[in-house]
Protein backbone atom coordinates (compact mmCIF):
# COMPACT_ATOMS: atom_id res chain seq x y z
CA UNK A 1 0.00 0.00 0.00
CA UNK A 2 1.25 3.47 -0.81
CA UNK A 3 0.93 6.18 1.82
CA UNK A 4 -1.89 7.72 -0.23
CA UNK A 5 -3.97 4.62 0.31
CA UNK A 6 -3.43 4.48 4.04
CA UNK A 7 -6.75 5.49 5.57
CA UNK A 8 -6.88 8.52 7.84
CA UNK A 9 -10.43 7.96 9.05
CA UNK A 10 -11.30 5.61 11.87
CA UNK A 11 -13.92 3.41 10.25
CA UNK A 12 -11.92 3.10 7.04
CA UNK A 13 -8.85 2.09 9.06
CA UNK A 14 -10.83 -0.44 11.06
CA UNK A 15 -12.26 -1.91 7.87
CA UNK A 16 -8.87 -2.04 6.15
CA UNK A 17 -7.35 -3.90 9.10
CA UNK A 18 -10.34 -6.22 9.53
CA UNK A 19 -10.29 -7.21 5.85
CA UNK A 20 -6.50 -7.49 5.90
CA UNK A 21 -6.00 -4.89 3.19
CA UNK A 22 -3.35 -3.60 5.54
CA UNK A 23 -1.92 -5.13 8.69
CA UNK A 24 -2.21 -3.25 11.97
CA UNK A 25 1.58 -3.05 12.10
CA UNK A 26 1.74 -1.58 8.58
CA UNK A 27 -0.96 0.95 9.42
CA UNK A 28 0.83 1.90 12.63
CA UNK A 29 4.17 2.24 10.84
CA UNK A 30 2.61 4.37 8.09
CA UNK A 31 1.00 6.65 10.68
CA UNK A 32 4.24 6.88 12.66
CA UNK A 33 6.05 7.77 9.41
CA UNK A 34 3.60 10.64 8.87
CA UNK A 35 4.24 11.79 12.42
CA UNK A 36 7.99 11.66 11.87
CA UNK A 37 7.62 13.69 8.70
CA UNK A 38 5.04 16.27 9.76
CA UNK A 39 5.01 16.56 13.52
CA UNK A 40 8.26 18.53 13.74
CA UNK A 41 6.20 21.31 12.06
CA UNK A 42 2.78 20.68 13.64
CA UNK A 43 4.00 19.73 17.15
CA UNK A 44 0.80 17.89 17.99
CA UNK A 45 2.50 15.28 20.19
CA UNK A 46 4.22 15.76 23.53
CA UNK A 47 5.48 12.18 23.53
CA UNK A 48 5.24 9.07 21.37
CA UNK A 49 4.88 5.43 22.37
CA UNK A 50 6.50 3.90 19.26
CA UNK A 51 7.60 0.54 20.66
CA UNK A 52 4.41 0.04 22.57
CA UNK A 53 2.23 0.99 19.59
CA UNK A 54 3.98 -1.53 17.36
CA UNK A 55 3.59 -4.22 20.02
CA UNK A 56 -0.12 -3.45 20.43
CA UNK A 57 -0.53 -3.59 16.64
CA UNK A 58 1.37 -6.89 16.38
CA UNK A 59 -1.01 -8.43 18.92
CA UNK A 60 -3.92 -7.35 16.71
CA UNK A 61 -2.29 -8.98 13.69
CA UNK A 62 -1.77 -12.17 15.74
CA UNK A 63 -5.45 -12.23 16.62
CA UNK A 64 -4.70 -11.73 20.32
CA UNK A 65 -6.36 -8.31 20.42
CA UNK A 66 -9.78 -7.85 18.92
CA UNK A 67 -12.61 -5.35 19.32
CA UNK A 68 -14.35 -2.48 17.55
CA UNK A 69 -11.12 -0.46 17.26
CA UNK A 70 -8.73 -3.34 16.54
CA UNK A 71 -5.57 -1.87 15.05
CA UNK A 72 -6.84 1.72 14.83
CA UNK A 73 -4.14 4.32 15.71
CA UNK A 74 -5.43 6.71 18.37
CA UNK A 75 -3.86 9.76 20.06
CA UNK A 76 -4.53 10.68 23.71
CA UNK A 77 -4.57 14.15 25.21
CA UNK A 78 -1.69 14.45 27.65
CA UNK A 79 -4.00 15.00 30.64
CA UNK A 80 -5.23 11.40 30.53
CA UNK A 81 -3.32 9.08 32.82
CA UNK A 82 -1.54 6.16 31.20
CA UNK A 83 0.53 3.56 33.00
CA UNK A 84 3.16 4.03 30.28
CA UNK A 85 5.07 7.17 29.32
CA UNK A 86 4.49 10.50 30.99
CA UNK A 87 1.28 12.40 31.76
CA UNK A 88 2.44 16.01 31.75
CA UNK A 89 -0.67 18.19 31.23
CA UNK A 90 1.84 20.27 29.21
CA UNK A 91 3.07 21.68 32.51
CA UNK A 92 6.56 21.95 33.96
CA UNK A 93 4.84 20.89 37.16
CA UNK A 94 4.22 17.38 35.80
CA UNK A 95 7.03 17.22 33.21
CA UNK A 96 8.30 13.92 34.63
CA UNK A 97 5.06 12.55 36.08
CA UNK A 98 4.48 8.87 35.40
CA UNK A 99 0.95 7.88 36.31
CA UNK A 100 0.65 4.52 38.05
CA UNK A 101 -2.60 3.61 36.29
CA UNK A 102 -4.63 4.00 33.09
CA UNK A 103 -7.63 6.34 32.93
CA UNK A 104 -10.99 4.60 32.54
CA UNK A 105 -11.28 5.69 28.89
CA UNK A 106 -7.75 4.49 28.20
CA UNK A 107 -8.69 1.07 29.59
CA UNK A 108 -11.83 1.02 27.42
CA UNK A 109 -9.90 1.96 24.29
CA UNK A 110 -7.27 -0.64 25.09
CA UNK A 111 -9.95 -3.31 25.48
CA UNK A 112 -11.44 -2.20 22.15
CA UNK A 113 -8.15 -2.97 20.41
CA UNK A 114 -6.94 0.60 19.78
CA UNK A 115 -3.25 1.31 19.16
CA UNK A 116 -1.98 4.28 21.19
CA UNK A 117 0.48 6.45 19.29
CA UNK A 118 1.29 8.88 22.08
CA UNK A 119 0.13 11.86 24.09
CA UNK A 120 -0.95 15.15 22.53
CA UNK A 121 -0.19 18.74 23.45
CA UNK A 122 -2.66 20.98 25.30
CA UNK A 123 -2.86 24.31 27.05
CA UNK A 124 -1.32 23.76 30.47
CA UNK A 125 -3.83 21.84 32.61
CA UNK A 126 -6.35 22.42 29.78
CA UNK A 127 -6.57 26.15 30.49
CA UNK A 128 -6.70 28.02 27.23
CA UNK A 129 -8.12 28.20 23.72
CA UNK A 130 -5.03 28.05 21.55
CA UNK A 131 -2.57 25.41 22.86
CA UNK A 132 -0.07 28.26 23.23
CA UNK A 133 -0.11 27.95 27.05
CA UNK A 134 2.00 24.80 26.87
CA UNK A 135 5.31 24.39 28.66
CA UNK A 136 6.45 22.43 25.57
CA UNK A 137 5.66 25.07 22.94
CA UNK A 138 2.65 25.81 20.74
CA UNK A 139 0.95 23.36 18.38
CA UNK A 140 0.35 24.63 14.83
CA UNK A 141 -2.82 24.49 12.78
CA UNK A 142 -2.35 22.02 9.89
CA UNK A 143 -4.39 24.28 7.55
CA UNK A 144 -2.05 27.22 8.16
CA UNK A 145 0.95 26.71 10.40
CA UNK A 146 1.10 30.42 11.27
CA UNK A 147 -2.20 29.93 13.12
CA UNK A 148 -3.31 28.23 16.32
CA UNK A 149 -5.19 24.91 16.27
CA UNK A 150 -7.50 26.11 19.05
CA UNK A 151 -7.42 24.68 22.53
CA UNK A 152 -7.07 23.23 24.89
CA UNK A 153 -7.21 19.92 22.97
CA UNK A 154 -5.25 21.56 20.13
CA UNK A 155 -2.75 18.72 19.88
CA UNK A 156 -5.54 16.16 19.48
CA UNK A 157 -7.41 18.23 16.86
CA UNK A 158 -4.23 19.00 14.91
CA UNK A 159 -3.16 15.34 15.03
CA UNK A 160 -6.44 14.31 13.39
CA UNK A 161 -6.37 17.14 10.84
CA UNK A 162 -2.74 16.44 9.89
CA UNK A 163 -3.42 12.71 9.41
CA UNK A 164 -1.20 11.78 12.36
CA UNK A 165 -3.85 9.45 13.84
CA UNK A 166 -7.30 8.08 12.92
CA UNK A 167 -9.00 9.60 15.94
CA UNK A 168 -8.05 11.37 19.14
CA UNK A 169 -9.34 11.87 22.64
CA UNK A 170 -9.73 15.30 24.19
CA UNK A 171 -11.33 16.87 27.23
CA UNK A 172 -13.81 19.74 27.28
CA UNK A 173 -14.41 22.00 30.27
CA UNK A 174 -15.59 25.09 28.40
CA UNK A 175 -15.12 24.18 24.76
CA UNK A 176 -11.77 22.43 24.58
CA UNK A 177 -12.92 19.65 22.25
CA UNK A 178 -15.36 21.60 20.08
CA UNK A 179 -13.41 24.82 19.53
CA UNK A 180 -10.17 23.11 18.36
CA UNK A 181 -12.30 20.75 16.24
CA UNK A 182 -13.85 23.84 14.59
CA UNK A 183 -10.50 25.55 14.04
CA UNK A 184 -8.95 22.37 12.58
CA UNK A 185 -11.92 21.34 10.40
CA UNK A 186 -12.70 18.09 12.19
CA UNK A 187 -15.57 16.70 14.27
CA UNK A 188 -15.49 17.00 18.07
CA UNK A 189 -18.12 16.01 20.61
CA UNK A 190 -18.52 17.01 24.24
CA UNK A 191 -20.69 14.40 25.90
CA UNK A 192 -23.33 15.18 28.50
CA UNK A 193 -21.94 15.58 32.02
CA UNK A 194 -22.01 12.08 33.50
CA UNK A 195 -21.90 10.09 30.27
CA UNK A 196 -18.16 9.37 30.25
CA UNK A 197 -16.13 8.53 33.36
CA UNK A 198 -13.38 11.02 34.17
CA UNK A 199 -11.47 8.55 36.33
CA UNK A 200 -7.83 9.15 35.42
CA UNK A 201 -8.42 12.51 33.74
CA UNK A 202 -6.34 15.14 35.52
CA UNK A 203 -9.05 17.37 36.97
CA UNK A 204 -9.40 21.02 35.93
CA UNK A 205 -12.96 21.99 36.94
CA UNK A 206 -14.75 18.89 38.11
CA UNK A 207 -18.33 20.10 37.66
CA UNK A 208 -17.62 20.91 33.99
CA UNK A 209 -14.96 18.45 32.70
CA UNK A 210 -15.92 15.78 30.18
CA UNK A 211 -13.88 13.52 27.90
CA UNK A 212 -14.82 13.07 24.24
CA UNK A 213 -13.71 12.16 20.71
CA UNK A 214 -12.13 14.14 17.85
CA UNK A 215 -12.34 12.58 14.38
CA UNK A 216 -12.69 13.40 10.67
CA UNK A 217 -16.28 12.26 10.35
CA UNK A 218 -19.49 12.04 12.34
CA UNK A 219 -19.53 8.24 11.89
CA UNK A 220 -16.02 8.01 13.31
CA UNK A 221 -17.15 10.20 16.21
CA UNK A 222 -20.07 7.85 16.96
CA UNK A 223 -17.81 4.80 16.74
CA UNK A 224 -15.31 6.31 19.17
CA UNK A 225 -17.99 7.56 21.55
CA UNK A 226 -19.41 4.02 21.66
CA UNK A 227 -16.16 2.87 23.23
CA UNK A 228 -15.80 5.74 25.73
CA UNK A 229 -19.22 5.53 27.35
CA UNK A 230 -20.46 3.20 30.04
CA UNK A 231 -20.78 3.04 33.79
CA UNK A 232 -17.77 3.37 36.09
CA UNK A 233 -18.06 3.32 39.85
CA UNK A 234 -14.76 5.17 40.21
CA UNK A 235 -16.38 8.39 38.96
CA UNK A 236 -19.44 8.97 41.11
CA UNK A 237 -20.90 11.40 38.56
CA UNK A 238 -20.89 8.75 35.82
CA UNK A 239 -24.39 7.42 35.14
CA UNK A 240 -25.04 3.80 35.85
CA UNK A 241 -26.86 2.99 32.63
CA UNK A 242 -25.84 1.28 29.43
CA UNK A 243 -25.54 3.74 26.55
CA UNK A 244 -27.16 3.19 23.17
CA UNK A 245 -25.17 2.14 20.11
CA UNK A 246 -24.63 5.58 18.56
CA UNK A 247 -23.18 4.20 15.35
CA UNK A 248 -26.07 1.81 14.72
CA UNK A 249 -28.58 4.66 15.09
CA UNK A 250 -26.58 7.16 13.07
CA UNK A 251 -28.04 6.76 9.62
CA UNK A 252 -31.63 7.19 10.73
CA UNK A 253 -32.40 10.77 9.64
CA UNK A 254 -34.62 12.70 12.01
CA UNK A 255 -37.97 13.40 10.36
CA UNK A 256 -39.23 16.89 11.14
CA UNK A 257 -36.07 17.81 13.04
CA UNK A 258 -36.80 20.94 15.07
CA UNK A 259 -33.71 23.15 15.15
CA UNK A 260 -33.58 25.98 17.63
CA UNK A 261 -32.03 29.25 16.49
CA UNK A 262 -31.28 31.49 19.45
CA UNK A 263 -31.40 35.21 18.84
CA UNK A 264 -28.73 35.69 21.51
CA UNK A 265 -26.26 33.52 19.59
CA UNK A 266 -26.69 35.16 16.22
CA UNK A 267 -26.64 38.70 17.60
CA UNK A 268 -23.55 38.07 19.72
CA UNK A 269 -20.77 40.56 19.29
CA UNK A 270 -17.45 39.60 17.80
CA UNK A 271 -18.82 37.06 15.38
CA UNK A 272 -16.81 37.00 12.15
CA UNK A 273 -19.04 37.63 9.09
CA UNK A 274 -17.52 34.60 7.34
CA UNK A 275 -18.54 32.39 10.26
CA UNK A 276 -22.02 33.90 10.32
CA UNK A 277 -22.45 33.36 6.56
CA UNK A 278 -21.33 29.71 6.74
CA UNK A 279 -23.63 28.99 9.67
CA UNK A 280 -26.55 30.71 7.93
CA UNK A 281 -25.95 28.50 4.90
CA UNK A 282 -25.92 25.42 7.09
CA UNK A 283 -29.24 26.50 8.56
CA UNK A 284 -30.65 26.82 5.02
CA UNK A 285 -29.27 23.39 4.19
CA UNK A 286 -31.15 21.93 7.14
CA UNK A 287 -34.32 23.67 6.01
CA UNK A 288 -33.86 22.18 2.55
CA UNK A 289 -33.62 18.77 4.23
CA UNK A 290 -36.99 19.33 5.90
CA UNK A 291 -35.91 20.64 9.29
CA UNK A 292 -38.20 23.08 11.03
CA UNK A 293 -36.57 26.21 12.43
CA UNK A 294 -37.75 27.32 15.83
CA UNK A 295 -36.95 30.75 17.23
CA UNK A 296 -35.76 30.31 20.78
CA UNK A 297 -34.32 32.55 23.42
CA UNK A 298 -31.44 31.83 25.78
CA UNK A 299 -31.60 35.12 27.66
CA UNK A 300 -28.76 34.45 30.11
CA UNK A 301 -26.20 33.56 27.44
CA UNK A 302 -24.48 36.92 27.88
CA UNK A 303 -23.47 35.95 31.40
CA UNK A 304 -21.99 32.61 30.34
CA UNK A 305 -18.38 33.72 30.00
CA UNK A 306 -18.47 35.67 33.27
CA UNK A 307 -19.98 32.74 35.20
CA UNK A 308 -17.59 30.25 33.61
CA UNK A 309 -14.54 32.35 34.42
CA UNK A 310 -15.55 32.34 38.08
CA UNK A 311 -16.71 28.72 38.45
CA UNK A 312 -13.86 27.10 36.49
CA UNK A 313 -11.04 28.99 38.28
CA UNK A 314 -12.66 28.34 41.69
CA UNK A 315 -12.70 24.61 41.05
CA UNK A 316 -9.23 24.74 39.50
CA UNK A 317 -7.78 26.53 42.52
CA UNK A 318 -8.98 23.66 44.65
CA UNK A 319 -8.03 20.85 42.23
CA UNK A 320 -4.55 22.26 41.69
CA UNK A 321 -3.76 22.58 45.40
CA UNK A 322 -2.26 19.08 45.29
CA UNK A 323 0.68 20.24 43.14
CA UNK A 324 2.94 21.47 45.89
CA UNK A 325 6.16 19.55 45.31
CA UNK A 326 5.30 17.18 48.15
CA UNK A 327 2.06 15.41 47.27
CA UNK A 328 2.52 15.84 43.53
CA UNK A 329 4.64 17.70 41.06
CA UNK A 330 7.82 19.65 40.61
CA UNK A 331 9.80 20.41 43.76
CA UNK A 332 12.13 23.39 43.89
CA UNK A 333 15.86 22.68 44.07
CA UNK A 334 16.31 25.94 45.97
CA UNK A 335 17.27 25.78 49.65
CA UNK A 336 14.19 26.61 51.73
CA UNK A 337 13.58 27.54 55.35
CA UNK A 338 10.23 25.89 55.85
CA UNK A 339 7.41 23.98 54.18
CA UNK A 340 5.52 27.11 53.18
CA UNK A 341 8.51 28.35 51.23
CA UNK A 342 8.91 24.89 49.68
CA UNK A 343 5.29 24.97 48.51
CA UNK A 344 5.42 28.51 47.20
CA UNK A 345 8.74 28.17 45.37
CA UNK A 346 7.72 24.84 43.84
CA UNK A 347 4.41 26.26 42.64
CA UNK A 348 6.00 29.49 41.38
CA UNK A 349 8.49 27.47 39.33
CA UNK A 350 6.13 24.73 38.16
CA UNK A 351 3.04 26.60 36.97
CA UNK A 352 2.80 28.84 33.93
CA UNK A 353 1.23 32.31 33.78
CA UNK A 354 -2.32 31.37 32.83
CA UNK A 355 -2.54 28.63 35.45
CA UNK A 356 -1.33 31.07 38.11
CA UNK A 357 -3.90 33.62 36.94
CA UNK A 358 -6.70 31.06 37.31
CA UNK A 359 -5.51 29.92 40.74
CA UNK A 360 -5.40 33.51 41.95
CA UNK A 361 -8.83 34.37 40.53
CA UNK A 362 -10.32 31.20 42.01
CA UNK A 363 -8.73 31.62 45.41
CA UNK A 364 -9.92 35.21 45.56
CA UNK A 365 -13.48 34.38 44.49
CA UNK A 366 -13.71 31.63 47.11
CA UNK A 367 -12.25 33.65 49.95
CA UNK A 368 -14.29 34.75 52.90
CA UNK A 369 -16.24 37.91 52.13
CA UNK A 370 -16.08 37.38 48.34
CA UNK A 371 -17.58 33.90 48.14
CA UNK A 372 -21.16 35.17 48.03
CA UNK A 373 -20.40 38.07 45.72
CA UNK A 374 -18.61 35.93 43.12
CA UNK A 375 -18.84 32.17 43.50
CA UNK A 376 -22.40 31.94 44.80
CA UNK A 377 -23.60 34.50 42.31
CA UNK A 378 -21.98 32.56 39.47
CA UNK A 379 -23.80 29.42 40.66
CA UNK A 380 -27.09 31.31 40.51
CA UNK A 381 -26.32 32.36 36.94
CA UNK A 382 -25.51 28.73 36.22
CA UNK A 383 -28.99 27.71 37.31
CA UNK A 384 -30.55 30.37 35.10
CA UNK A 385 -28.51 29.25 32.09
CA UNK A 386 -29.60 25.67 32.72
CA UNK A 387 -33.24 26.79 32.91
CA UNK A 388 -32.87 28.62 29.58
CA UNK A 389 -31.80 25.36 27.95
CA UNK A 390 -34.51 23.31 29.67
CA UNK A 391 -37.13 25.67 28.27
CA UNK A 392 -35.56 25.76 24.82
CA UNK A 393 -35.40 21.96 24.56
CA UNK A 394 -39.11 21.84 25.29
CA UNK A 395 -39.56 23.39 21.85
CA UNK A 396 -36.69 22.03 19.75
CA UNK A 397 -34.57 18.88 19.39
CA UNK A 398 -31.23 20.63 18.98
CA UNK A 399 -29.84 24.16 18.90
CA UNK A 400 -27.75 25.33 15.95
CA UNK A 401 -25.05 28.01 16.29
CA UNK A 402 -21.39 28.67 15.52
CA UNK A 403 -18.76 26.78 17.52
CA UNK A 404 -16.20 29.59 17.54
CA UNK A 405 -16.88 33.26 16.75
CA UNK A 406 -13.82 33.32 14.45
CA UNK A 407 -11.73 30.94 12.34
CA UNK A 408 -8.21 30.10 13.58
CA UNK A 409 -6.34 33.20 14.74
CA UNK A 410 -2.62 33.85 14.35
CA UNK A 411 -0.10 32.45 16.80
CA UNK A 412 0.70 35.19 19.31
CA UNK A 413 -2.33 37.31 18.38
CA UNK A 414 -4.16 36.91 21.70
CA UNK A 415 -1.48 35.79 24.13
CA UNK A 416 -1.07 39.19 25.77
CA UNK A 417 -4.83 39.73 26.09
CA UNK A 418 -6.46 37.00 28.20
CA UNK A 419 -9.93 38.52 27.79
CA UNK A 420 -9.85 38.24 24.00
CA UNK A 421 -8.71 34.63 24.44
CA UNK A 422 -11.64 33.95 26.80
CA UNK A 423 -14.09 35.27 24.18
CA UNK A 424 -13.18 32.32 21.95
CA UNK A 425 -15.42 30.36 24.33
CA UNK A 426 -18.54 32.52 23.86
CA UNK A 427 -20.58 29.80 22.13
CA UNK A 428 -19.16 26.77 23.91
CA UNK A 429 -19.15 27.45 27.68
CA UNK A 430 -22.89 27.44 28.29
CA UNK A 431 -23.05 23.78 27.17
CA UNK A 432 -20.66 22.83 30.00
CA UNK A 433 -22.37 25.13 32.48
CA UNK A 434 -25.71 23.43 31.77
CA UNK A 435 -24.17 19.93 31.57
CA UNK A 436 -25.69 19.22 28.14
CA UNK A 437 -24.03 17.79 25.01
CA UNK A 438 -22.59 19.51 21.95
CA UNK A 439 -20.88 18.60 18.69
CA UNK A 440 -18.82 20.68 16.28
CA UNK A 441 -18.51 19.74 12.61
CA UNK A 442 -17.08 21.55 9.61
CA UNK A 443 -19.54 23.78 7.70
CA UNK A 444 -17.32 25.74 5.34
CA UNK A 445 -13.99 27.41 4.71
CA UNK A 446 -12.74 30.94 4.38
CA UNK A 447 -11.54 32.12 0.95
CA UNK A 448 -7.95 32.83 0.09
CA UNK A 449 -4.73 30.96 -0.49
CA UNK A 450 -4.93 29.23 2.87
CA UNK A 451 -8.59 28.45 3.48
CA UNK A 452 -9.45 28.03 7.13
CA UNK A 453 -12.20 25.71 8.37
CA UNK A 454 -15.38 27.02 10.00
CA UNK A 455 -17.22 25.00 12.63
CA UNK A 456 -20.94 24.47 13.12
CA UNK A 457 -22.19 23.59 16.58
CA UNK A 458 -25.25 21.52 17.45
CA UNK A 459 -26.27 21.50 21.11
CA UNK A 460 -28.52 18.78 22.45
CA UNK A 461 -30.30 18.15 25.74
CA UNK A 462 -28.72 15.98 28.43
CA UNK A 463 -28.09 12.50 27.00
CA UNK A 464 -29.22 13.69 23.56
CA UNK A 465 -25.99 12.48 21.91
CA UNK A 466 -27.83 10.26 19.50
CA UNK A 467 -29.97 13.18 18.33
CA UNK A 468 -27.08 15.57 17.68
CA UNK A 469 -25.02 12.84 16.03
CA UNK A 470 -27.87 11.91 13.69
CA UNK A 471 -28.57 15.57 12.93
CA UNK A 472 -24.86 16.14 12.27
CA UNK A 473 -24.75 13.09 10.02
CA UNK A 474 -27.68 14.41 7.96
CA UNK A 475 -25.73 17.59 7.26
CA UNK A 476 -22.49 15.74 6.59
CA UNK A 477 -24.17 13.47 4.06
CA UNK A 478 -25.42 16.52 2.18
CA UNK A 479 -22.04 18.30 2.14
CA UNK A 480 -18.40 17.66 1.27
CA UNK A 481 -16.53 19.65 3.91
CA UNK A 482 -15.38 16.56 5.77
CA UNK A 483 -13.58 15.28 2.66
CA UNK A 484 -11.26 18.27 2.40
CA UNK A 485 -7.74 17.88 3.67
CA UNK A 486 -5.00 20.43 4.38
CA UNK A 487 -2.49 21.02 1.54
CA UNK A 488 -0.04 18.16 1.16
CA UNK A 489 -2.48 15.45 2.25
CA UNK A 490 -4.40 13.33 -0.23
CA UNK A 491 -8.02 14.44 -0.47
CA UNK A 492 -10.74 11.93 0.32
CA UNK A 493 -12.77 11.28 -2.77
CA UNK A 494 -15.29 8.76 -1.60
CA UNK A 495 -17.37 8.29 1.50
CA UNK A 496 -15.09 8.56 4.50
N1 LIG B 1 -10.89 27.81 26.84
C1 LIG B 1 -11.52 27.48 28.07
C2 LIG B 1 -10.61 27.77 29.22
O1 LIG B 1 -9.57 28.28 28.99
C3 LIG B 1 -11.98 26.06 28.06
C4 LIG B 1 -10.92 25.10 28.36
C5 LIG B 1 -11.37 23.69 28.38
O2 LIG B 1 -12.47 23.37 27.93
N2 LIG B 1 -10.56 22.84 28.97
O3 LIG B 1 -10.88 27.50 30.34
Amino acid sequence: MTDMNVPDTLLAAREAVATKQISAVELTRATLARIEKNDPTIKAFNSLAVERALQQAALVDDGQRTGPLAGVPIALKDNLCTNWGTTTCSSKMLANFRAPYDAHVVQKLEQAGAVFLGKTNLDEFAMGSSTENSAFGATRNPWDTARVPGGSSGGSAAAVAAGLCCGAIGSDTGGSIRQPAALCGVVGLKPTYGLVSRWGLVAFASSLDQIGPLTWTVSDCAALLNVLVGPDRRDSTCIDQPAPDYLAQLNQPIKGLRLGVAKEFSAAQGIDPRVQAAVNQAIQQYQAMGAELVDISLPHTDYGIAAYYVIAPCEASSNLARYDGVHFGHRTAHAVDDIVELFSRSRAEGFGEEVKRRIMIGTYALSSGYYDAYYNRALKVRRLIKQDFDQAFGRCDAIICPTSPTPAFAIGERTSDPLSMYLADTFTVTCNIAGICGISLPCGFTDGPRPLPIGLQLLGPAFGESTILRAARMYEQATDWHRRRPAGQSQVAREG
Side-chain angles (χ1 to χ4, degrees):
M1 261 198 176
T2 64
D3 182 54
M4 283 209 16
N5 295 330
V6 175
D8 66 357
T9 61
L10 185 146
L11 289 176
R14 164 174 115 170
E15 178 69 14
V17 172
T19 55
K20 304 216 188 301
Q21 289 168 54
I22 189 169
S23 73
V25 168
E26 282 171 329
L27 176 59
T28 304
R29 278 196 203 287
T31 313
L32 288 168
R34 283 184 188 159
I35 294 175
E36 201 179 324
K37 181 160 166 254
N38 296 323
D39 207 44
T41 317
I42 303 294
K43 297 182 166 61
F45 284 91
N46 281 348
S47 59
L48 292 174
V50 175
E51 289 299 303
R52 195 178 183 281
L54 290 168
Q55 279 165 13
Q56 281 186 306
L59 291 173
V60 171
D61 290 335
D62 289 349
Q64 294 181 52
R65 296 183 70 224
T66 53
L69 297 180
V72 177
I74 297 286
L76 299 169
K77 189 173 179 177
D78 203 6
N79 61 353
L80 289 162
C81 288
T82 49
N83 68 11
W84 43 271
T86 49
T87 299
T88 71
C89 294
S90 290
S91 178
K92 251 176 89 177
M93 189 54 103
L94 292 178
N96 304 311
F97 177 60
R98 302 183 79 86
Y101 62 92
D102 280 338
H104 178 75
V105 295
V106 174
Q107 294 173 343
K108 299 271 283 186
L109 291 161
E110 178 94 48
Q111 285 158 13
V115 171
F116 297 129
L117 299 166
K119 311 286 281 281
T120 57
N121 200 8
L122 61 149
D123 286 296
E124 186 178 0
F125 284 101
M127 297 175 192
S129 303
S130 68
T131 317
E132 291 167 294
N133 300 335
S134 163
F136 307 125
T139 297
R140 312 254 154 181
N141 190 313
W143 298 90
D144 178 352
T145 52
R147 292 176 184 273
V148 304
S152 65
S153 312
S156 289
V160 174
L164 311 183
C165 61
C166 295
I169 308 300
S171 66
D172 190 314
T173 304
S176 277
I177 291 174
R178 292 158 289 153
Q179 184 258 11
L183 270 46
C184 288
V186 300
V187 175
L189 183 138
K190 183 205 91 79
T192 302
Y193 190 77
L195 187 66
V196 176
S197 164
R198 289 90 45 83
W199 193 75
L201 169 71
V202 177
F204 163 11
S206 307
S207 78
L208 303 161
D209 298 339
Q210 269 291 299
I211 298 167
L214 292 113
T215 56
W216 269 121
T217 68
V218 176
S219 313
D220 286 0
C221 178
L224 202 43
L225 185 64
N226 269 355
V227 173
L228 303 180
V229 298
D232 177 24
R233 303 185 75 150
R234 298 167 299 188
D235 176 353
S236 61
T237 66
C238 186
I239 57 155
D240 192 14
Q241 269 174 38
D245 182 336
Y246 300 106
L247 188 58
Q249 298 178 348
L250 196 62
N251 287 325
Q252 303 163 15
I254 304 173
K255 281 209 191 78
L257 173 70
R258 295 170 307 160
L259 274 184
V261 182
K263 59 173 189 285
E264 292 80 7
F265 279 160
S266 29
Q269 287 176 349
I271 180 161
D272 186 299
R274 296 167 299 177
V275 173
Q276 187 71 67
V279 171
N280 288 348
Q281 275 202 347
I283 293 175
Q284 281 171 19
Q285 175 69 46
Y286 271 107
Q287 264 184 311
M289 294 187 294
E292 181 197 335
L293 298 186
V294 183
D295 284 327
I296 55 159
S297 175
L298 299 164
H300 298 93
T301 298
D302 268 1
Y303 306 104
I305 289 284
Y308 173 84
Y309 280 97
V310 172
I311 296 167
C314 284
E315 295 184 18
S317 72
S318 162
N319 274 327
L320 271 57
R322 72 192 69 170
Y323 307 106
D324 55 16
V326 177
H327 298 91
F328 284 97
H330 166 84
R331 180 183 295 189
T332 184
H334 212 275
V336 292
D337 289 334
D338 55 29
I339 189 96
V340 174
E341 193 186 350
L342 176 73
F343 288 168
S344 73
R345 275 193 190 272
S346 300
R347 286 166 70 80
E349 291 169 12
F351 288 135
E353 290 265 296
E354 182 61 25
V355 174
K356 286 179 188 164
R357 181 179 296 119
R358 306 276 178 118
I359 292 173
M360 286 190 282
I361 292 172
T363 309
Y364 176 79
L366 287 176
S367 60
S368 153
Y370 295 100
Y371 186 98
D372 278 330
Y374 293 104
Y375 183 63
N376 253 344
R377 188 175 290 187
L379 292 186
K380 286 178 185 156
V381 173
R382 183 175 199 166
R383 174 163 294 265
L384 294 172
I385 288 173
K386 171 140 191 342
Q387 279 170 2
D388 285 355
F389 280 112
D390 288 345
Q391 277 171 13
F393 287 124
R395 302 181 49 224
C396 64
D397 304 306
I399 295 167
I400 189 166
C401 61
T403 308
S404 159
T406 66
F409 44 92
I411 295 205
E413 192 181 314
R414 299 193 188 174
T415 37
S416 54
D417 181 1
L419 259 186
S420 77
M421 192 71 90
Y422 296 172
L423 292 176
D425 308 323
T426 302
F427 299 118
T428 50
V429 288
T430 50
C431 172
N432 304 71
I433 290 176
I436 59 174
C437 60
I439 189 171
S440 178
L441 67 160
C443 71
F445 284 82
T446 62
D447 295 329
R450 289 187 186 282
L452 298 171
I454 296 170
L456 175 72
Q457 185 173 221
L458 297 173
L459 298 172
F463 304 107
E465 278 76 5
S466 190
T467 303
I468 56 171
L469 281 164
R470 286 162 65 198
R473 178 72 181 137
M474 285 166 65
Y475 177 78
E476 188 184 67
Q477 276 179 313
T479 54
D480 269 331
W481 310 118
H482 62 293
R483 297 204 179 95
R484 286 230 213 164
R485 295 291 182 266
Q489 290 174 47
S490 45
Q491 310 295 303
V492 179
R494 45 179 194 82
E495 189 58 0

